[in-house]
Amino acid sequence: MTRLLFLSHSHPFGPFRVGSHHYARVLAGRGADVVHLSTPISLAHRVTGRVSRADLAVVPSRPRRDADGVLNIVPRTALPVPVGAPTVARMLKRAGIDTRFDAVLIDQPLLWDSSVRSLSDAVIYRPTDLYPSGVKHRLQQQILDAVDGVIATSDEVLRGLGPLRVPTLVLSNGADVARFAAPAGADAARAARCVYVGALDDRFDWARVDGWARAFGDVEFVIAGPGRSPQPLPANVSLVGAVPYADVPALLHTARVGLLPLSDNPLNAGRSPMKLYEYFAAGLAVVARETPGIRGRSDLGIEVYTGDEDADAALERALRHPSPNVAGERAAADASWERKTDALEEFLRAVRDRSA
């Protein structure tokens, strides 16, 4: 049986799912023994309130195998990584996990230490973001000097790494198509409702949502995610807080358009938004700020804008797109996590053959 280790930035016990969760799920379903270790929760995180008591309560303190067969580990440490925390090898040993794997895939630079290289003959870096400076940039440089291959989530992320000496692959995020698909027979046109589900940090453009809501007073805007608006919003904007992952499809099925109002944060240039294909899979048209990884395709129901001057027209086109968005549903099927995992496994085989 193939043994795989994911070293990820996010654990699967909150409202969000990231690429490593989906790859782990599909690979476990194909018979692999998959361990998913995510960023430790440190005493410092708990004392400073960066991890709330409510958030901590849902995260198991010991390894837990989920319904898909993935063994999830969220270590508890005194100090945060990479300052003073145990090495990955030591955290695995503490959890009673055999430390030898057929492949290791790391997407969290903060989890890099010298022990990671010893865990497998095939160590793959899977960057999901741009790290132009800081601690993550420094650790990323160490990773690139040591790994056997790189799988980036976008062309922009790959370019940001500079020249590389190892095999590379660009594999954008996908969608759990079966989970997000609308129920059979639900083919009636949907009401004029727009929805966003995701993080509400500095990469989210609250001002753009405010502008849309004022320009389209007869359209309802639903914003789902942990966080609050920094400004008062019109009455046709509803903030519903974080929505459990299991409930997201039902929310999307009530809407006509999915929103990706990206701010002008330069790090948005490297994003491969998972929500794009989840929106498609749920039958939504999409309106998004244009980035190197998000281009307009009116035939698929994705309309883009570059700034305030063309944002309203882009949303108007998305609202006019046939509903449900059948063309988008087909595009999502081509970007399923099963197909993404096919490509990932092929790359892993090639890297392992090259290393043999």
Side-chain angles (χ1 to χ4, degrees):
M1 177 185 293
T2 301
R3 297 192 74 235
L4 301 171
L5 172 65
F6 285 87
L7 300 175
S8 175
H9 53 74
S10 301
H11 65 70
F13 300 102
F16 299 132
R17 295 294 179 273
V18 298
S20 64
H21 302 155
H22 291 290
Y23 285 126
R25 168 180 59 82
V26 176
L27 288 163
R30 294 179 179 182
D33 178 15
V34 182
V35 177
H36 187 282
L37 188 151
S38 51
T39 309
I41 299 175
S42 70
L43 179 61
H45 287 131
R46 303 196 293 274
V47 169
T48 60
R50 288 185 62 188
V51 177
S52 69
R53 289 185 178 181
D55 291 339
L56 187 64
V58 301
V59 181
S61 59
R62 296 182 178 181
R64 177 181 295 179
R65 196 171 297 277
D66 62 26
D68 298 309
V70 179
L71 184 63
N72 291 288
I73 305 172
V74 188
R76 300 289 204 274
T77 59
L79 295 174
V81 290
V83 183
T87 65
V88 169
R90 188 171 179 81
M91 287 189 280
L92 290 168
K93 289 177 181 177
R94 284 183 177 179
I97 307 299
D98 181 0
T99 59
R100 193 63 186 168
F101 296 88
D102 294 298
V104 174
L105 297 101
I106 176 171
D107 63 51
Q108 168 59 291
L110 296 179
L111 283 171
W112 179 258
D113 64 64
S114 59
S115 77
V116 175
R117 180 64 267 185
S118 69
L119 302 177
S120 176
D121 293 330
V123 179
I124 307 298
Y125 180 42
R126 202 179 68 83
T128 62
D129 217 335
L130 294 168
Y131 304 116
S133 61
V135 175
K136 289 186 178 179
H137 173 78
R138 175 175 59 80
L139 290 169
Q140 179 172 259
Q141 294 307 117
Q142 295 179 21
I143 293 170
L144 294 173
D145 288 338
V147 295
D148 305 293
V150 171
I151 301 176
T153 51
S154 72
D155 290 315
E156 197 70 15
V157 165
L158 184 61
R159 279 194 292 270
L161 301 178
L164 299 174
R165 59 171 183 79
V166 294
T168 64
L169 174 68
V170 173
L171 196 54
S172 61
N173 286 319
D176 187 350
V177 175
R179 177 184 292 273
F180 282 87
D187 53 359
R190 301 174 188 177
R193 193 184 205 202
C194 301
V195 64
Y196 171 84
V197 180
L200 299 174
D201 53 22
D202 60 356
R203 298 190 185 191
F204 182 84
D205 190 350
W206 285 105
R208 174 47 24 226
V209 173
D210 179 81
W212 276 330
R214 295 181 188 280
F216 296 85
D218 58 344
V219 174
E220 182 182 5
F221 294 82
V222 178
I223 309 299
R228 298 179 180 179
S229 170
Q231 62 196 71
L233 295 169
N236 57 331
V237 180
S238 299
L239 306 182
V240 299
V243 174
Y245 182 70
D247 298 335
V248 172
L251 172 61
L252 297 185
H253 297 158
T254 68
R256 189 180 186 98
V257 174
L259 304 174
L260 286 173
L262 305 179
S263 72
D264 57 5
N265 186 318
L267 299 183
N268 274 327
R271 291 185 67 178
S272 171
M274 200 174 303
K275 283 294 171 284
L276 172 60
Y277 286 106
E278 290 178 349
Y279 289 159
F280 276 167
L284 280 68
V286 178
V287 61
R289 185 169 188 158
E290 186 175 41
T291 70
I294 305 176
R295 303 295 187 185
R297 284 283 304 273
S298 294
D299 57 321
L300 297 182
I302 177 167
E303 303 291 347
V304 298
Y305 62 95
T306 58
D308 290 341
E309 65 281 354
D310 59 345
D312 288 351
L315 178 54
E316 186 173 2
R317 293 194 301 273
L319 286 166
R320 290 201 308 263
H321 191 81
S323 176
N325 180 11
V326 176
E329 292 172 344
R330 295 194 190 103
D334 290 336
S336 70
W337 284 114
E338 286 74 16
R339 293 196 179 187
K340 300 290 182 180
T341 305
D342 290 343
L344 182 140
E345 287 190 291
E346 183 177 348
F347 184 81
L348 289 180
R349 282 192 293 269
V351 168
R352 290 178 64 188
D353 290 345
R354 186 171 182 263
S355 301

